[in-house]
Every structure is written in C-alpha cells, then in structure tokens.
C-alpha cells in the first residue's frame, strides 16, 4: 500500500463529520435554520432591502438609511467571462467609452454636469460583472439616474474616441503589468482555469485592444446590457417607489432578455498546475497557492471566510506580527520568513479559488511555502479550539459590517448580491450562518478541498530555492501523517 493511500485511509473519517452548514442550504435560499443566541439590535433594527422587478425584467433594489447623500448604480451580469478569444477586453473597453459622450450630452457637458452637482461617477469591470455607480446629494438622485441610463443606452461610441482610448487602455495595461499582485493573480487564473473563459484577463490581450471596433462594442451592449441581467441598486437617502419610477422611465429602452447562449460558456473545471517565472533581478519572490474553492451561493461560503480569517493576512509594515491572533502570521513574523501574507477566498458564479499570496526573499521561499502549506494541514489534522474559532468568527463578522459602512458600500453589496444570488443576503442572515459554523465544518472543508488535492501555484522572482510543484503537492498530505 502506498503512502498516499495510507493517508487517504487515515483521514477518510473527516468526511463522515456532520455538515452543519448544509442545514442552511445554499445562499440563493433564505436560511430557515437559526442559531440559538440573540442578535444585537443594530442588526435586527437595520433598514430592510426593498426589491422590485420592472416590466422589462430590470430589478430595482434599495435601502433607505436616511442619509443626506445617496449612491445609485447599475450592476450588470457581464464581464470578461462572457467574452471569447477574439473579443476579450470588450467589456473593459466599453467601460472606458461610457464617459466619452452620448446622443444627449457631449463629454464636456457630462463631466460639467456631474462636477457642478458635487457628485461622482465611476465604473469598473471584473471577470463576471460590470458596474456603473454615482454618488450625490439625495435631491440629485433623479439626475444621476438619468445620466446612468444615458451613458448605458446612448453612448455615441465614436470612432475617433475609440482610437484615442486605445492608447489609454494600453497604458493602463502597462501599469497593471508592473503590479506584481495583479500579475500573479492573472497567472493564477490562467493555470487554474485552463481552457475556460475565467482564464482570460479583464483588460484583454494587446492585440485585441488594438483591434476592437465600434461594432464589437455595440454588439456587446445589445447582447449583455439587458433587463434580466441588470440591477439598479441604491442606498442612502433614497425612496424605493421613487427609484422604481425613475428607473422604469429612464431604462425603458432596455431589452427584457439576453440572447447570449450561456451554454457556450461550458464548465469551469479547476486544473492543479503551476507556472514559475524566474527573475533573479527582482529583490523578492511573489507566490500564490490556490485550491479549488466554492461559488458565491455555496453552503460553505461562510465557512471558507472563517478559514480565511484563521489563516490570516499580515504585512511587516504594519508592525504587529507576533501579536496577531493568526498563528501563521506569528510564525512568518518571528522567523522573518516573509514580508507579507494575504489569505484569499475568491468566488465566482460556479466556482472559486481559495489560497494564500505571500511575498518572501529568495533564501526563505522554501520555508515560507512550507509554513503556509503546513498551516492548512495543521488546521485539518489538529482541528480548532473553541476560542480560535470564536475569534475567527468575530473577525469575519467585523469585516462584513465594515464593508457595509456607508451608502456606497451598501449599494455595492446589494448589487453584487442580486447579480450573484438573485436576492439580498441581509446582515442578520449572514450572522446566523456564521454562528452555525462548527469546528467540524472547518475540518471538513479543509479535508474536502485542501487535503491531498492538486493546487495551482504561480511564482515570480528569484526562485532558486522555491520548491517544485511535486514537493508542494506532496505537502498536501505528508504533513497529515
């Protein structure tokens, strides 16, 4: 019997543990299972999210916080994942073109109107979503909704502006490629999701940026900017009925249903593999190790957030190090093995990535990698104390509430939730789901996803002492014996 099969036999018992998080169902379903402890009034008395679907399938969701300012935006179920090799980069290119003028407003008029209101207008593109968002005084919300609807439906997309914007996007690409964290995570997606749309970058290839034409942009709008894939989310000093009336009028021209063939996306299988780019001129090595994670709606989503908190994040410049509650952060600090550590849980509609990104020097690449791998296996082998789990839960709850501080953050949470889950996950339910997580749940997901599993590994920099892939793969089970 091989060592690997012995390890599988020894730890197969983990899979028989009760999965308490499954009692709550996936996140598209409202939880019917509640923990026994009472929740604080700042959760139970918080404003509720109101949701209305308009005639063209456009959803309007609001949360009135009584503020004098408001955030209103449009979240669209459209990003680089819906592109192909030929038009990759179109969603991001279109985001740039949205502020270059419409049939009603020139670029100068658009900028002047927003500026004179003391408002802001921004946009961003991710792999699965495109977002246009405005922030203003609550009295100016009707104007901002009109502007958002105008740039999404009536942008001129003139050829002269397209040509000018190419150089801007190419420059942005150069800047992104100088950011090692951005580069590492693009490579991580490249090796993790080989042969799938998630493999592609958001900005697209240089060749595509130079070749995208007006027809590509128009086709992307007509295909993806449809009512069934759009959410108007607003928070702050907003009134739901007013937002519904304004959106119904402003977005009346939006088609109700997309013609996109979602089956063409196929599956998103995870591939354990690696890419090492050795550059001895760099002072530090940048490394990311990831395993197949879960989607936004998966019942284990919050359990992974707790595990992420246990592993922790740390930066030497913060000066905390050995005083942090993360055991791994303490080891890296005391033994001077790394400059920074960031545990991540990246989710998509049908899959995800769970892992850690760290920066170390050449001589410590092997030891740092081992400690990261060993920490995951320690959690699976030794389990957690009640105190360790309680601290991790508290940190997750705190982070979630801090992300809901202010109208912009609330609107972001509402829009993202409705696109990813089809509903708003209220803070009360988030806390209930977190409270239901047990030590056994953390051991179970570690066993199911991180034990004896193929990781994806990306590394850039001086890699002379960096362990090869087979050694890292072996650490997913040898440390459990």
């Amino acid at each position: 019997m091989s060592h690997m099969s012995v390890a599988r036999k020894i730890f197969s018992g983990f899979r028989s543990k009760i999965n308490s998080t499954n009692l709550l169902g996936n996140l598209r379903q409202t939880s019917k299972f509640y923990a026994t402890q009472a929740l604080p009034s700042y959760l139970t008395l918080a404003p509720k999210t109101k949701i209305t679907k308009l005639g063209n399938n456009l959803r309007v969701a609001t949360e009135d916080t009584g503020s004098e300012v408001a955030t209103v935006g449009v979240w669209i179920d459209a990003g680089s994942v819906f592109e192909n090799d030929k038009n990759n980069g179109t969603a991001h290119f279109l985001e740039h073109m949205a502020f270059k003028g419409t049939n009603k407003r020139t670029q100068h008029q658009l900028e002047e109107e927003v500026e004179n209101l003391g408002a802001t207008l921004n946009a961003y593109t991710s792999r699965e979503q495109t977002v246009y968002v405005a922030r203003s005084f609550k009295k100016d919300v009707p104007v901002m909704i009109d502007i958002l609807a105008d740039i999404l439906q009536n942008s001129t997309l003139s050829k002269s502006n397209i040509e000018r914007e190419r150089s801007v996007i190419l420059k942005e690409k150069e800047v992104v490629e100088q950011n090692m964290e951005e580069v590492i995570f693009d490579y991580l997606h490249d090796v993790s999701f080989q042969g799938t749309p998630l493999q592609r970058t958001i900005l697209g290839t240089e060749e595509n940026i130079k070749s995208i034409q007006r027809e590509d942009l128009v086709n992307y709008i007509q295909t993806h900017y449809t009512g069934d894939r759009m959410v108007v989310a607003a928070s702050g000093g907003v009134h739901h009925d007013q937002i519904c009336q304004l959106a119904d009028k402003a977005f009346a021209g939006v088609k109700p249903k997309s013609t996109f063939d979602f089956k063409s996306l196929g599956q998103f299988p995870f591939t354990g593999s690696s890419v090492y780019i050795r550059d001895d001129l760099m002072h530090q090595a940048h490394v990311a190790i990831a395993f197949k994670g879960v989607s936004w709606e998966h019942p284990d989503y919050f359990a992974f957030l707790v595990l992420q908190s246990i592993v922790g994040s740390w930066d030497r410049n913060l000066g905390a190090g050995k005083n942090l509650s993360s055991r791994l952060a303490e080891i890296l600090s005391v033994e001077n093995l790394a400059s920074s550590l960031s545990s991540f849980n990246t989710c998509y509609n049908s899959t995800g990535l769970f892992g850690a990104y760290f920066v170390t020097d050449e001589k410590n690449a092997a030891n740092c990698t081992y400690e990261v791998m060993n920490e995951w296996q320690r959690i699976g082998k030794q389990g957690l104390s009640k105190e360790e789990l309680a601290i991790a839960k508290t940190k997750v709850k705190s982070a979630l509430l801090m992300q809901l501080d202010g109208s912009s953050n609330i609107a972001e949470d509402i829009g993202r939730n409705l696109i990813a889950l089809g509903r708003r996950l209220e803070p009360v339910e988030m806390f209930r789901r977190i409270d239901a997580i047990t030590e056994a749940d953390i051991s179970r997901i570690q066993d199911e996803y991180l034990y004896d599993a193929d990781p994806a590994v990306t590394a850039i920099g001086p890699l002379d002492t960096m362990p090869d892939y087979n050694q890292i793969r072996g650490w997913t089970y040898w440390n459990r014996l």
Side-chain angles (χ1 to χ4, degrees):
M1 183 179 292
S2 69
H3 290 294
M4 187 178 296
S5 60
V6 170
R8 289 198 181 101
K9 184 176 181 180
I10 291 173
F11 293 102
S12 62
F14 277 106
R15 293 183 173 83
S16 65
K17 291 179 178 177
I18 296 174
N19 182 355
S20 63
T21 57
N22 278 339
L23 295 174
L24 285 75
N26 69 47
L27 271 64
R28 283 187 174 272
Q29 304 166 341
T30 302
S31 171
K32 301 298 183 182
F33 175 81
Y34 291 104
T36 55
Q37 63 194 80
L39 290 173
S41 60
Y42 61 77
L43 287 178
T44 57
L45 299 179
K48 301 300 181 183
T49 303
K50 298 180 180 180
I51 303 173
T52 298
K53 180 184 284 189
L54 304 181
N56 61 353
N57 292 325
L58 179 75
R59 286 165 291 173
V60 177
T62 67
E63 182 175 309
D64 183 2
T65 65
S67 173
E68 287 302 310
V69 297
T71 298
V72 59
V74 182
W75 276 256
I76 308 171
D77 186 18
S80 60
V81 74
F82 300 103
E83 300 166 346
N84 54 47
D85 290 337
K86 183 180 179 181
N87 69 1
N88 177 217
T90 302
H92 178 259
F93 204 119
L94 187 56
E95 169 213 319
H96 275 251
M97 295 302 301
F99 305 113
K100 297 299 180 286
T102 71
N103 297 332
K104 292 171 56 178
R105 298 173 172 92
T106 65
Q107 180 178 349
H108 176 73
Q109 289 172 332
L110 176 63
E111 294 172 351
E112 187 176 49
E113 187 171 7
V114 173
E115 182 72 18
N116 289 345
L117 292 175
T120 61
L121 186 61
N122 295 298
Y124 68 85
T125 309
S126 67
R127 281 181 165 81
E128 290 188 331
Q129 296 180 16
T130 301
V131 178
Y132 299 85
V133 61
R135 195 161 188 255
S136 68
F137 284 114
K138 64 180 183 181
K139 66 181 180 62
D140 297 321
V141 164
V143 178
M144 301 315 294
I145 289 180
D146 183 68
I147 289 176
L148 287 167
D150 193 23
I151 63 176
L152 290 177
Q153 298 175 93
N154 305 311
S155 287
T156 56
L157 304 176
S158 69
K159 292 186 177 181
S160 60
N161 281 334
I162 289 173
E163 293 306 318
R164 279 195 296 270
E165 206 61 24
R166 290 191 203 281
S167 61
V168 175
I169 298 174
L170 288 170
K171 182 64 177 176
E172 180 183 353
K173 185 176 177 65
E174 290 179 11
V175 173
V176 167
E177 290 174 349
Q178 296 300 313
N179 184 321
M180 283 299 103
E181 184 173 354
E182 294 277 1
V183 173
I184 277 287
F185 278 92
D186 276 343
Y187 276 120
L188 189 63
H189 282 78
D190 185 45
V191 299
S192 299
F193 300 111
Q194 297 176 34
T196 77
L198 276 175
Q199 180 183 27
R200 305 186 190 101
T201 64
I202 297 171
L203 271 66
T205 64
E206 181 177 341
E207 179 183 0
N208 282 8
I209 295 171
K210 291 180 177 178
S211 63
I212 288 174
Q213 301 298 322
R214 186 179 190 278
E215 293 73 19
D216 299 311
L217 303 176
V218 171
N219 181 63
Y220 195 89
I221 293 174
Q222 293 177 344
T223 303
H224 300 286
Y225 286 23
T226 55
D228 58 332
R229 298 176 64 183
M230 297 172 65
V231 171
V232 173
S235 176
V238 295
H239 300 289
H240 185 73
D241 291 341
Q242 180 195 33
I243 302 298
C244 287
Q245 293 171 3
L246 292 169
D248 194 25
K249 178 181 178 181
F251 292 93
V254 172
K255 294 188 299 183
K257 192 170 180 61
S258 173
T259 58
F260 182 74
D261 179 15
F262 291 94
K263 293 182 179 180
S264 66
L265 295 177
Q267 301 298 311
F268 297 89
F270 176 87
T271 302
S273 53
S274 66
V275 58
Y276 288 10
I277 301 174
R278 181 168 177 172
D279 184 349
D280 290 338
L281 296 178
M282 293 177 61
H283 298 294
Q284 293 181 307
H286 296 253
V287 183
I289 304 173
F291 295 86
K292 182 181 184 300
V294 297
S295 66
W296 290 109
E297 66 180 49
H298 198 280
D300 286 327
Y301 170 75
F302 285 105
F304 268 100
L305 288 185
V306 172
L307 179 57
Q308 177 189 1
S309 177
I310 293 167
V311 176
S313 295
W314 165 77
D315 192 309
R316 185 170 298 281
N317 294 325
L318 297 178
K322 62 183 180 181
N323 297 314
L324 294 176
S325 58
S326 164
R327 178 181 180 276
L328 179 57
E330 180 179 346
I331 292 173
L332 298 183
S333 173
V334 172
E335 299 186 13
N336 199 28
L337 296 180
S339 298
S340 64
L341 164 75
S342 178
S343 181
F344 59 84
N345 180 45
T346 303
C347 296
Y348 295 106
N349 288 335
S350 61
T351 187
L353 289 173
F354 179 85
Y357 163 65
F358 53 92
V359 180
T360 183
D361 55 38
E362 179 180 8
K363 67 178 181 179
N364 287 315
N367 288 336
C368 189
T369 302
Y370 171 81
E371 291 296 347
V372 171
M373 299 297 295
N374 186 58
E375 177 65 5
W376 286 324
Q377 300 311 318
R378 178 195 72 85
I379 294 169
K381 181 178 181 178
Q382 300 178 7
L384 301 171
S385 67
K386 292 185 181 299
E387 181 183 12
E388 193 174 9
L389 180 62
I391 290 173
K393 287 183 178 182
T394 298
K395 290 165 67 176
V396 172
K397 291 176 181 178
S398 174
L400 290 172
L401 282 187
M402 288 179 183
Q403 291 171 8
L404 298 178
D405 185 18
S407 64
S408 295
N409 291 339
I410 294 174
E412 169 74 28
D413 190 66
I414 294 172
R416 185 180 64 249
N417 273 206
L418 262 69
I419 290 294
L421 305 176
R423 70 185 184 97
R424 173 78 192 285
L425 197 63
E426 300 281 359
V428 167
E429 184 178 348
M430 290 193 291
F431 272 48
R432 292 297 193 191
R433 287 180 178 269
I434 294 168
D435 286 336
I437 295 169
T438 66
E439 297 96 323
D441 289 320
I442 302 302
S443 294
R444 174 184 54 77
I445 65 170
Q446 200 287 336
D447 184 49
E448 290 182 8
Y449 293 91
L450 280 69
Y451 167 64
D452 197 9
D454 296 331
V457 185
T458 57
I460 300 175
L463 306 177
D464 186 51
T465 65
M466 183 69 192
D468 65 24
Y469 183 83
N470 289 330
Q471 187 171 7
I472 295 174
R473 174 63 176 84
W475 284 339
T476 68
Y477 61 90
W478 278 115
N479 293 354
R480 294 280 290 273
L481 296 178

